[in-house]
Amino acid sequence: MESKMYDSHKEAPVTVKIALLQYLCDISAFSKLLHLSGQAALRSCVFCKEDGVRSNTLNKTLHVCNRQFLPADSPLRLDNKSFAIKSAINSTRPESFTNEKEMAARREFDQKPNKNQKTNFQKQTDVKGIHPLTSLPYFDRLKQMQTDGMHTISDVISNILDLISGKTDTIKVRNCEKQYQRFEETWPNMKRKAPDAPCVNPPKQRKKTQPPKTKSTPTSLEESPTIPEALTIPEAPWSLSKFKIKVADKRASSIEYPKGFDYTPADHFTRQLTLRTMHGKQQFVTYNVAAWCLRGLLGHQQEQTLFQLFTVLSRLVKPTFMKDEIPPLIADTHLAVTLLERDFPLTLQNLTTHLLHHIPEGYNDFGPLYDRWLYPLERANSWITRQIVQHGHEESTVMQTYRIYDWSVFNLLSGTVKQETTDRQTSLRRIVKKICNSEEDLLKTNQHSSKTMLPTDHIKIIKEKYCKIFSNSDIEMCDIDPVVESIQTTTRYDKTKRKDIFFATDSHQISARSCDFIIHTRDPSKVFGKIKKLYRHSFRNNVYTWVLLDRFPLAEQCGLFWFSENKTLMTNLCLLSDISDPLVSAVEEDNRWFLNV
């Protein structure tokens, strides 16, 4: 489209053309906008020509062609027992439409004479005619369309956690495995009900017109009524029993999180609403919290496959990538999804799981997912839709509500309206209290910082560090000022995450829910500990922040995690730049576990 705008630099009107370079939608929006088949279709992937398989048992489409994405020499291609397709796979990965062939198919769809022919053609090609964006002269769907990583990863995590906790592990899931001759020990069993517990319909389901039956006591087993049979679901290596769920919930309730997490410790496996946000689900998996809660509770092979998938998801959400890191990530993603098909029920092989194959393939063209998350847009849309009070005039009421909201926040923050001391806390008051308290606490901490004298052994450590920084061995002990400024909190800017990281001592926490003092040193080796004190020290016109660390005993590695005894062994002094970000940790028995090292 052409639009007239005013150029303030040239002080003249100009005509500009606006081009849609990239667009990002979820699967439902893609199918509506681009006139593609829905996610229940056999060919529902918008990035390749992969054909799904219809499962009447599950009443859904299964995508079981994961081995086609593996290298040609992969031994998993020769497995003819563990996968849904009981034969070796020699075919290459599914290709995608070129822009020219897709446009030709869309025109051919519109030229079909009747609805039946159009439906059959749609099943073969996945397209449903010309859509509005095809009128753009520069339009190229595959070069401008991105995979929606937020909904894809969130749905994959939700499906896995629902299956593990038994929420979706139903008889239909087991019958599907029986149909494909997989996991024979988990097939449903027929079990006779006890004679003293007959099946009685609920009162609402009884027929009111049915005459009452006379009671008669059977004299023998032959005269007794027919005892119905019921299906029982055996235990499976991919799901948790009631006892194991309690163990996982206990572990999840003992975890300590730093600032920036969307949730607090809770029994996440029993009450899954505690992981209600998409960002919270991602953090639960990518910070190794879910893996630590589930360790030792699943089958050995299922646990290895699940942890490998969790590791891949952690790598997929990294904020930055080097170009040479992308090919190994693509290969590991293909392998992890293939192993998920082998070791878990086929109900997980839906379209969202299949889309994991295509997420890292777009990093070279579109960049990492960190730059195209839908989290802020989703939260903004959620806030906007809650402001609608008249559904006949949505836009006007949203704007009027926003004006009132902005005016109220300004008055509260500026102090024009004093906050009353009342127990009732509205959303506005909670926001203002959060902002004001954080600023007041930080200001109060800085105002009441105290001067402290360093002991001699700490001055020696500082001297050695300054000699390395300035590459000068002429620094003497007398050059180091023994007076430092003791503070309670500090921040450090992280260039990779592009945000400030908050640190606090173990005796000072602004938020009762956060744990911002468990860290480890980076150089020369990982030393885990708690921040006991924070110092500011001036040297050669520069200010350095030093950390006094209460060190835990020597930590050991156990798979993805590290652990040590939960006690203080000694104290270490190091620079703030030499320590990690605050860690997610948990205490179990007498050990402290460090999850996201």
Side-chain angles (χ1 to χ4, degrees), residues 245-260:
I245 288 180
K246 291 182 179 180
V247 175
D249 284 336
K250 183 179 179 181
R251 292 174 178 175
S253 301
S254 65
I255 299 174
E256 299 175 350
Y257 302 102
K259 263 189 174 182

Side-chain angles (χ1 to χ4, degrees), residues 16 107 169 204 269 493 588 597:
V16 298
R107 296 188 186 96
D169 190 10
K204 292 184 180 180
F269 295 91
Y493 183 74
E588 188 177 46
V597 179

Side-chain angles (χ1 to χ4, degrees), residues 398-415:
V398 167
M399 294 305 300
Q400 186 67 20
T401 305
Y402 179 77
R403 291 173 59 190
I404 298 173
Y405 178 87
D406 186 52
W407 176 77
S408 302
V409 171
F410 173 78
N411 287 333
L412 289 172
L413 290 177
S414 62

Side-chain angles (χ1 to χ4, degrees), residues 24-27 146-158 277-282 313 316-317 352 355-356 359 363 368-370 372-379 381:
L24 181 64
C25 308
D26 57 10
I27 297 302
Q146 309 173 41
T147 312
D148 173 26
M150 183 193 74
H151 287 95
T152 301
I153 293 177
S154 174
D155 289 346
V156 169
I157 293 173
S158 298
T277 64
M278 295 183 181
H279 191 244
K281 295 174 186 176
Q282 176 208 319
L313 295 180
L316 287 176
V317 301
T352 54
L355 288 178
L356 289 178
I359 288 180
Y363 285 177
L369 294 177
Y370 194 85
R372 44 194 168 100
W373 285 127
L374 288 180
Y375 296 120
L377 301 179
E378 290 271 337
R379 292 182 180 181
N381 286 338

Side-chain angles (χ1 to χ4, degrees), residues 52 83 95 161 198 213 259 291 306 334 364 388 395 436 441 447 461-462 482 535 538 576 585 587 591 597:
F83 292 89
E95 298 179 353
L161 294 180
K213 296 182 179 180
K259 263 189 174 182
L306 189 63
H334 295 334
N364 282 322
I388 299 176
E395 295 86 355
C436 293
D441 286 343
Q447 287 179 347
I461 296 175
I462 293 178
Y535 299 129
S538 299
L576 180 68
S585 63
V587 177
N591 294 327
V597 179

Side-chain angles (χ1 to χ4, degrees), residues 184-246:
E184 184 176 357
E185 69 279 2
T186 66
W187 295 351
N189 298 324
M190 300 297 294
K191 183 179 180 182
R192 291 174 64 88
K193 289 187 177 180
D196 55 348
C199 181
V200 180
N201 292 331
K204 292 184 180 180
Q205 297 181 5
R206 297 174 185 168
K207 294 183 179 180
K208 296 182 179 180
T209 58
Q210 185 177 4
K213 296 182 179 180
T214 57
K215 296 182 180 180
S216 60
T217 305
T219 57
S220 62
L221 185 61
E222 289 78 8
E223 298 178 5
S224 62
T226 304
I227 301 175
E229 294 182 345
L231 285 174
T232 60
I233 303 180
E235 291 187 1
W238 59 73
S239 62
L240 303 178
S241 61
K242 292 183 179 180
F243 173 75
K244 291 181 179 180
I245 288 180
K246 291 182 179 180

Side-chain angles (χ1 to χ4, degrees), residues 42-54:
L42 295 179
R43 183 177 285 180
S44 54
C45 181
V46 297
F47 298 97
C48 68
K49 299 180 183 178
E50 193 262 349
D51 290 324
V53 178
R54 184 65 183 179

